[in-house]
Amino acid sequence: MSINSPHVDAHGHDHGHEAHVAAQTHGTLKSYLIGFGLSVVLTAIPFWLVMGDVLGNKQATGLVIMAFAAVQIVVHMIYFLHMTTAAEEGWTMMALIFTIVMVVIALAGSLWVMHHLTTNMMPAHDMIRR
């Protein structure tokens, strides 16, 4: 930052614009520790569910693990990637939402195409059985 910057006073001291921006883009030790603690808990619970066969149903266990994984992704985005609506005036959050929408469309479309290919293009199964 140059001496002619509007944020620098006559003594050459910067009064916080860069510090304010740095505080928005970097977390505090407390926020990193909260994120780390949540990540450990969100990893330990699925590990316990699988190793102890707590739910007794593999499909239910898989769905619960997927839910914990989704929550952990959100924790990482907030506490470690600092993706909030305030960061960079909300553009990082908009980019994230756009990416999620595109991934969901691509995955759902792929599953839909594969399902229709399986049901409509696989007559060999019926022919083999006869």
Side-chain angles (χ1 to χ4, degrees), residues 22-107:
Q24 287 180 346
T25 58
H26 297 288
T28 61
L29 178 63
K30 181 181 175 183
S31 70
Y32 283 119
L33 289 175
I34 290 171
F36 177 74
L38 287 173
S39 297
V40 168
V41 169
L42 291 170
T43 302
I45 291 173
F47 183 77
W48 171 69
L49 289 174
V50 171
M51 295 305 290
D53 196 21
V54 175
L55 298 179
N57 184 350
K58 290 183 179 182
Q59 289 180 342
T61 303
L63 290 174
V64 170
I65 290 173
M66 296 268 295
F68 274 99
V71 172
Q72 190 159 27
I73 288 171
V74 172
V75 166
H76 282 248
M77 287 188 316
I78 292 172
Y79 288 102
F80 300 120
L81 298 176
H82 311 291
M83 296 183 86
T84 62
T85 55
E88 295 183 22
E89 298 176 2
W91 284 107
T92 55
M93 187 61 71
M94 292 298 292
L96 175 68
I97 291 169
F98 177 75
T99 302
I100 290 171
V101 167
M102 289 294 119
V103 168
V104 167
I105 289 172
L107 289 176

